[in-house]
Amino acid sequence: PGLPFVRLRTLDEMAEPEKRPWRLGSTLFVVFGAAALLVATTGVYALLSFMVTQRSREIGVRLALGASPGQTLRLVIRQSLWWVCAGLVVGTGVALGAGKFVRPMLFETSPYDPAVFAGAAAILLAVGVVAGLVPALRASRVDPNVALRAE
């Protein structure tokens, strides 16, 4: 009766201190990935907004000569998709090249998983379209008189 009682613990309770640093690391990867996606979205929006501003006279001439707002919208969206696709090609090349450096941090996962690359490309493509939509809508609503008289 004087012996201490053996404390029984589940396997999850015993493994929790070992898993905590890995959970923190994965949480940080998610947070930094989301921050990178936000920065990329902001950059795409800023680039496209600047390009639409620079081309306001051209867009005004197109609208004055009879282009519909839908055609102007498609022109700007097509240009934004071109930039996003170029970025995806370069980014995929860099990711493939950096795969060997990331391999030690992955557990039972290949750094060249096609599903991950396709998912990331789809997300970035969707973000690029949404980021290009605001400048495209603004370009389609440009008044030709104002655009042609602008400096």
Side-chain angles (χ1 to χ4, degrees), residues 24-96:
L24 176 65
S26 64
T27 302
L28 287 176
F29 272 128
V30 168
V31 168
F32 287 134
L37 184 62
L38 179 66
V39 168
T41 304
T42 305
V44 169
Y45 171 76
L47 174 72
L48 294 174
S49 181
F50 177 74
M51 291 171 69
V52 167
T53 302
Q54 292 295 314
R55 295 177 65 186
S56 64
R57 292 189 81 142
E58 174 196 344
I59 292 170
V61 168
R62 286 177 185 266
L63 290 171
L65 292 176
S68 69
Q71 289 172 328
T72 307
L73 185 72
R74 282 191 295 278
L75 173 78
V76 176
I77 290 290
R78 190 178 327 118
Q79 185 179 24
S80 70
L81 284 177
W82 188 91
W83 282 104
V84 169
C85 289
L88 282 174
V89 168
V90 171
T92 301
V94 170
L96 288 172

Side-chain angles (χ1 to χ4, degrees), residues 96-118:
L96 288 172
K100 63 182 175 184
F101 300 112
V102 179
R103 184 181 297 271
M105 293 186 279
L106 301 175
F107 180 70
E108 293 184 6
T109 304
S110 170
Y112 308 110
D113 188 9
V116 172
F117 276 92

